[in-house]
Amino acid sequence: MIQLLAADGTRTPHPELDEVLAGRGGDDDLASPQRLRGYYRDMVMIRAADLEATSLQRQGQLGLWASALGQEAAQIGAGHASREQDYLVPTYREHGIAWARGIEPWRLLESYRGVSHGGWDPNELRTHPYMIVLGSQAPHAVGYAMGLQRDGVVGTGDRETDTAVLALFGDGASSEGEVSESFTFSASFGAPVVFFTQNNQWAISVPTSVQSRVPLAQRSRGWGIPSVRVDGNDVLAVLAAVREALDAARAGEGPRFIEALTYRMAAHTTSDDASRYRPSSEEEEWAEKDPILRLRRHLEQLGEIDEAFIARCDEEAHDLAMALHHHIHGMEDPDPADMFTHAYAEPHPIVEAEREQYLEYVAQFEDDAEQTGERS
Amino acid sequence: MSSTSTTNLPIAKAITAGLRDALRADDKVLLMGEDIGVLGGVFRVTDGLHAEFGPQRVVDTPLGEAGIVGTSVGLAVRGYRPVVEIQFDGFVFPAFNQITTQVAKMHNRTNGTVHMPIVIRIPHGGGIGAIEHHSESPEALFAHTAGLRILAPSNAQDAYWMTRQAIECEDPVIMFEPKKRYWVKGDVDPDRRPELSPWQAEIVRPGADATLLAWGPSMPLALESAEAATEDGIELEVIDARSLAPVDYPTIAASVRRTGRLLITHEAPVLGGLGGEIAARISEECFYHLEAPVMRVGGYHLPYPPARMENAYLPDLDRVLDGVDRLLEH
């Protein structure tokens, strides 16, 4: 397992990946103190948004919430490892990826509140919609990567335009057949895609040990897809491994697979009760490996962080949570007639007829209300 | 009426011509499927296209229907127009998840920002003496899924033009191709776009006594039945549904208002089949015009049987005429 930051924040040298972090080919130093502080702030921010979302669900403002608590380093690291032109394909728990991509947290909450199924423009944000049916997005990632090949933006050596796809899924989704087919298709066509699995140890109540007889990182090797396992609570290890793999994919070297070992500190979703299937001792053990604490310790060892910065991050995170709270409480339900709008791209007589029927049906009640109002 | 550009082609070759012209017209069109490249497809529908357009546009894929359809979703997001071949109707089920939860819903999921101009070609229906899973009629399973469109050509002209129009459509289209009729010839005019929309049904034989609705592989049987019924002095109006999603209810209802009777025949099991949905809607819309309940003649509630029994399973002339008799008893 690749680890650059130990749980106590100590930095472990790694000749090859240190070079990647230092910016092989003239990039900015991904591990500069300024960047490290940025990752720290991002993780604090996204954790605050996550906790606030859980709170909003408890207040009845969200139908459900899938927390990414504990997985901040894996997601912030992978998100920042991608370049602007890369296309990211998340599942439904990638709030840190979305944050790194500049997608405001309230947009993620739309689907959990039930006002849309997602709704952003994937091409504008270069981020695929959140995906509920596990593993279904993996072949989409490969198809998009096949499109990149046809568009001639792979392996040209132009770092501004060469593009790759980062496909994200969890250990549970990795058991789905479509993930295996994605390995097949990406390997067959040499598609520029990096599969990134956050192994958070549990697929709802089923531990990874029930899903795989071998470390997940070994799975793709049967397809000839090189793979590594990284410490997913180590933002630097994730950054370096994902950047290295994406660079290779962009260069036309074909697919890669990364397993990031991390831990889902909360339950699967707010509907789940993790205390039924996992011991609290395990949660306590992983709390010691907390990704935010780890980076803070590292920054402290470097002398690159002070109480004022930490307090400022906490204050910003609090403000974000409050903004989220107010945004959601003020969010109005969409007009139900809008549900007919985007079923099809082209006119569809049955959907149009049903929309008319719906509007006429609703209008009856408005007429009744008016008449009642007149009488009173 | 034929123009100078009209050629006489088997349905399979009409589809080939449609694919070729679509590939020439738009370089974002690409074909994907098992054995469609060098071999030209198990039915040779893509014959010659690999040689003409190369492996980047006529893609021999690994065996994996979910992978074929799933990668086509990603290609569509990237701006491509994939045309996918599923080898046989019964092989579409490994891709069922991708078609129903992804292809059908991605446009909706993204509030209309992403289009899914994907065509899924499926050789359709029985009567060819094949083994299990080579003769099924799963159209109702897909017609039930909002977000999909379904076309079912029954002749060469429709086969050519529906191929072109399905590829041009910004929505996903499943095209059920009548496999037992792949080698039946008909006139095709690739230079004259039909006036009839692909989403409209066509009255292919007028008649006053009852309406007989069919599609795809069942159309020859419908026409044969109408011809045979004239011996008993019964004039059947035969409608080719052509589009199964959306179904062209106005054309069917107008016919039923004239004839007062409707018989629907399809190869799929009657229970839960598309005929049941059409019967229910026509009953709602045409209740006071109906002289008899809407009737259906189709497959039984069984797995498609082994080939030596399929003639008993599939609607045939006698079963359709028996249905007509029951319809006219009222």
Side-chain angles (χ1 to χ4, degrees):
Chain A
M1 184 176 74
I2 297 167
Q3 187 186 64
L4 302 183
L5 292 179
D8 65 1
T10 309
R11 180 77 155 82
T12 311
H14 188 294
E16 190 189 341
L17 292 180
D18 286 348
E19 197 186 330
V20 173
L21 286 173
R24 192 168 48 185
D27 259 355
D28 284 340
D29 181 358
L30 289 175
S32 70
Q34 189 185 347
R35 291 251 192 173
L36 293 178
R37 280 192 295 270
Y39 308 143
Y40 176 82
R41 176 183 174 276
D42 282 351
M43 290 197 278
V44 170
M45 294 290 273
I46 200 67
R47 178 168 291 188
D50 202 310
L51 290 168
E52 181 59 30
T54 300
S55 171
L56 285 163
Q57 195 280 332
R58 299 300 184 219
Q59 294 162 31
Q61 295 295 320
L62 304 178
L64 185 77
W65 179 245
S67 171
L69 218 61
Q71 298 178 221
E72 293 88 352
Q75 298 185 2
I76 294 297
H80 285 300
S82 66
R83 294 189 195 277
E84 193 182 340
Q85 68 268 31
D86 292 334
Y87 190 72
L88 274 49
V89 181
T91 178
Y92 52 77
R93 200 193 296 280
E94 256 75 67
H95 318 316
I97 289 287
W99 176 264
R101 216 55 175 164
I103 300 174
E104 299 92 338
W106 63 264
R107 298 200 71 172
L108 310 178
L109 267 57
E110 279 190 354
S111 62
Y112 288 99
R113 184 172 167 88
V115 302
S116 87
H117 288 315
W120 62 71
D121 181 346
N123 283 310
E124 180 198 347
L125 297 172
R126 297 170 314 284
T127 307
H128 210 55
Y130 267 19
M131 192 59 60
I132 306 296
V133 184
L134 287 179
S136 291
Q137 77 277 21
H140 305 178
V142 178
Y144 193 96
M146 290 165 67
L148 295 173
Q149 292 176 307
R150 282 160 179 76
D151 290 343
V153 289
V154 182
T156 69
D158 185 339
R159 58 188 303 112
E160 299 302 320
T161 57
D162 277 354
T163 308
V165 181
L166 182 65
L168 299 109
F169 46 82
D171 48 290
S174 75
S175 297
E176 294 279 1
E178 275 149 294
V179 169
S180 295
E181 290 196 26
S182 298
F183 289 161
T184 304
F185 276 64
S186 64
S188 294
F189 298 119
V193 58
V194 174
F195 301 106
F196 182 75
T197 288
Q198 289 164 77
N199 178 357
N200 67 15
Q201 313 300 323
W202 293 92
I204 306 190
S205 65
V206 178
T208 313
S209 58
V210 173
Q211 302 179 66
S212 183
R213 293 285 297 272
V214 297
L216 296 181
Q218 289 183 21
R219 279 196 174 166
S220 71
R221 292 178 197 167
W223 280 264
I225 298 173
S227 64
V228 293
R229 174 183 256 191
V230 302
D231 185 334
N233 285 14
D234 172 351
V235 71
L236 282 186
V238 173
L239 256 167
V242 176
R243 171 57 68 95
E244 197 269 340
L246 283 170
D247 281 348
R250 275 188 227 98
E253 293 174 22
R256 298 284 190 97
F257 178 69
I258 296 167
E259 177 192 9
L261 277 179
T262 183
Y263 195 73
R264 186 193 79 211
M265 293 299 289
H268 168 68
T269 66
T270 45
S271 295
D272 174 35
D273 177 5
S275 70
R276 285 184 175 225
Y277 54 81
R278 71 180 186 191
S280 57
S281 59
E282 185 182 292
E283 294 169 21
E284 288 159 16
E285 183 190 328
W286 277 91
E288 288 300 308
K289 302 175 187 171
D290 186 281
I292 298 179
L293 192 58
R294 183 179 311 194
L295 182 57
R296 183 161 146 180
R297 285 170 175 159
H298 176 59
L299 281 163
E300 283 167 354
Q301 287 170 18
L302 294 175
E304 293 289 352
I305 199 167
D306 56 24
E307 287 304 320
F309 179 80
I310 291 166
R312 199 159 63 243
C313 287
D314 289 345
E315 197 178 315
E316 278 186 79
H318 175 75
D319 290 347
L320 175 69
M322 286 304 96
L324 205 55
H325 176 93
H326 290 302
H327 193 100
I328 297 303
H329 276 271
M331 191 181 272
E332 289 183 7
D333 286 349
D335 180 349
D338 287 350
M339 69 184 165
F340 295 94
T341 307
H342 296 304
Y344 290 89
E346 294 192 4
H348 191 287
I350 291 172
V351 172
E352 283 166 17
E354 291 187 352
R355 181 174 181 276
E356 289 307 311
Q357 281 171 17
Y358 169 78
L359 292 174
E360 283 172 22
Y361 177 74
V362 172
Q364 291 180 92
F365 296 102
E366 287 166 3
D367 292 346
D368 289 348
E370 278 174 24
Q371 284 168 14
T372 309
E374 279 168 15
R375 277 200 298 272
S376 61
Chain B
M1 191 189 295
S2 64
S3 70
T4 50
S5 59
T6 298
T7 50
N8 195 253
L9 290 176
I11 285 176
K13 292 298 166 194
I15 297 168
T16 313
L19 294 170
R20 178 181 288 110
D21 289 347
L23 283 159
R24 285 177 179 165
D26 183 352
D27 61 11
K28 292 294 186 186
V29 174
L30 79 166
L31 315 187
M32 304 214 300
E34 297 160 9
D35 305 306
I36 68 162
V38 180
L39 178 69
V42 289
F43 289 104
R44 307 294 184 268
V45 171
T46 54
D47 193 22
L49 302 178
H50 184 267
E52 183 174 347
F53 297 97
Q56 291 296 303
R57 300 196 62 202
V58 181
V59 186
D60 266 330
T61 66
L63 271 75
E65 284 78 9
I68 297 169
V69 176
T71 51
S72 76
V73 172
L75 281 156
V77 174
R78 185 69 197 172
Y80 285 84
R81 306 182 85 85
V83 182
V84 164
E85 178 176 300
I86 303 292
Q87 282 194 336
F88 284 91
D89 31 47
F91 301 170
V92 73
F93 297 108
F96 193 74
N97 172 54
Q98 282 294 331
I99 296 173
T100 56
T101 75
Q102 306 303 315
V103 172
K105 299 192 172 72
M106 193 62 78
H107 178 74
N108 186 253
R109 185 178 295 146
T110 60
N111 280 355
T113 59
V114 160
H115 290 189
M116 283 283 114
I118 296 170
V119 178
I120 300 169
R121 298 179 35 242
I122 305 178
H124 177 216
I128 60 165
I131 59 170
E132 194 184 12
H133 300 307
H134 287 63
S135 302
E136 296 171 14
S137 296
E139 60 264 34
L141 294 168
F142 298 103
H144 191 60
T145 301
L148 302 174
R149 294 172 184 266
I150 303 174
L151 293 174
S154 69
N155 57 65
Q157 170 78 351
D158 276 354
Y160 174 83
W161 276 108
M162 284 183 177
T163 300
R164 297 294 310 271
Q165 289 162 324
I167 294 170
E168 289 167 1
C169 183
E170 291 298 323
D171 289 314
V173 180
I174 296 177
M175 203 163 85
F176 281 107
E177 301 170 358
K179 71 166 88 78
K180 75 179 173 195
R181 301 195 18 96
Y182 265 145
W183 304 107
V184 175
K185 287 187 168 182
D187 285 345
V188 176
D189 184 352
D191 291 334
R192 196 164 54 90
R193 191 170 280 267
E195 288 171 18
L196 197 67
S197 151
W199 317 111
Q200 282 180 288
E202 182 175 12
I203 296 170
V204 292
R205 180 186 171 114
D209 298 325
T211 301
L212 178 56
L213 177 72
W215 52 82
S218 298
M219 281 313 297
L221 173 63
L223 288 166
E224 189 190 351
S225 302
E227 189 62 39
T230 58
E231 292 173 18
D232 295 327
I234 303 164
E235 294 297 330
L236 295 177
E237 179 148 295
V238 180
I239 300 181
D240 183 346
R242 300 175 79 243
S243 171
L244 308 183
V247 170
D248 177 9
Y249 288 110
T251 297
I252 301 166
S255 171
V256 171
R257 288 190 191 102
R258 286 193 299 273
T259 65
R261 291 178 170 84
L262 175 61
L263 179 72
I264 304 162
T265 186
H266 55 54
E267 294 191 6
V270 164
L271 195 151
L274 195 53
E277 153 62 17
I278 296 170
R281 194 172 290 241
I282 293 300
S283 299
E284 285 177 16
E285 290 189 17
C286 305
F287 186 72
Y288 291 108
H289 294 85
L290 285 169
E291 304 288 342
V294 179
M295 298 219 178
R296 294 164 290 162
V297 173
Y300 300 107
H301 187 51
L302 298 170
Y304 194 89
R308 295 286 177 176
M309 294 186 271
E310 72 177 337
N311 286 341
Y313 172 89
L314 290 169
D316 61 10
L317 182 63
D318 288 335
R319 281 177 58 199
V320 173
L321 291 177
D322 180 61
V324 172
D325 287 346
R326 284 188 283 123
L327 194 64
L328 289 164
E329 275 171 15
H330 288 270

